[in-house]
Amino acid sequence: METTDAQHMRMAIAASRAAMAAGNMPYGAVLVSPAGETLFTAQNNQRTSSDCTGHAETALVREAAAALGADALRGATVYASGEPCAMCAGAMFWAGIGRVVFGIPQPVMAEVAGGDLLPIGCAAALAGSTPPVAVEGPLLQEEAVAVLREFAARAT
């Protein structure tokens, strides 16, 4: 993975910290065009929006499509601080996202933060999809998990 991947992942991690500061679960996501241009950043908003589907990646798909148009998502890359769940993987697939890069693998998220777990990660949910969606990670796992550890410590 290139330096650009690390830069975009750090933006997703910063969004996860902003989500936590706003009172939400600490997850963030960044949309990057096929040309490498940062298009949109979103964060988890489940608690502040009272929307159980307000995961960072789903919020990103909704908000970016509304702001930029659906075509902006086609072939783009999503950088997610945590491995997207099956719901988010489906939303990204239907939006035409071509690549997903995540920071924290699902088993690590479950170990650090606990809570409910839908035991199918992004790669498994998108395996065999047509068109294919590349899934890569973990990237900068320790940086991303530091935010999650801080969140878990506050919750206890």
Side-chain angles (χ1 to χ4, degrees):
M1 294 182 202
E2 307 168 0
T3 304
T4 331
D5 284 340
Q7 291 168 337
H8 290 118
M9 182 57 70
R10 285 193 174 102
M11 292 174 69
I13 294 168
S16 75
R17 190 168 291 288
M20 181 172 60
N24 290 299
M25 300 291 288
Y27 298 103
V30 174
L31 180 70
V32 177
S33 76
E37 177 187 2
T38 302
L39 299 175
F40 208 88
T41 301
Q43 55 189 258
N44 182 293
N45 62 20
Q46 285 178 281
R47 292 180 178 169
T48 55
S49 69
S50 298
D51 179 1
C52 65
T53 68
H55 294 193
E57 303 85 0
T58 304
L60 180 76
V61 166
R62 283 188 194 125
E63 294 169 13
L68 307 171
D71 287 343
L73 284 78
R74 288 184 180 72
T77 296
V78 169
Y79 292 84
S81 62
E83 182 178 3
C85 71
M87 173 187 71
C88 293
M92 291 185 292
F93 172 79
W94 293 115
I97 300 300
R99 179 175 173 238
V100 178
V101 181
F102 65 86
I104 312 168
Q106 254 193 16
V108 175
M109 291 189 305
E111 176 187 322
V112 172
D116 296 343
L117 176 67
L118 184 60
I120 183 168
C122 188
L126 294 171
S129 63
T130 304
V133 178
V135 178
E136 302 171 21
L139 175 65
L140 302 179
Q141 178 177 328
E142 288 308 313
E143 290 180 37
V145 84
V147 180
L148 191 58
R149 286 189 199 289
E150 184 180 332
F151 173 80
R154 289 181 184 182
T156 57

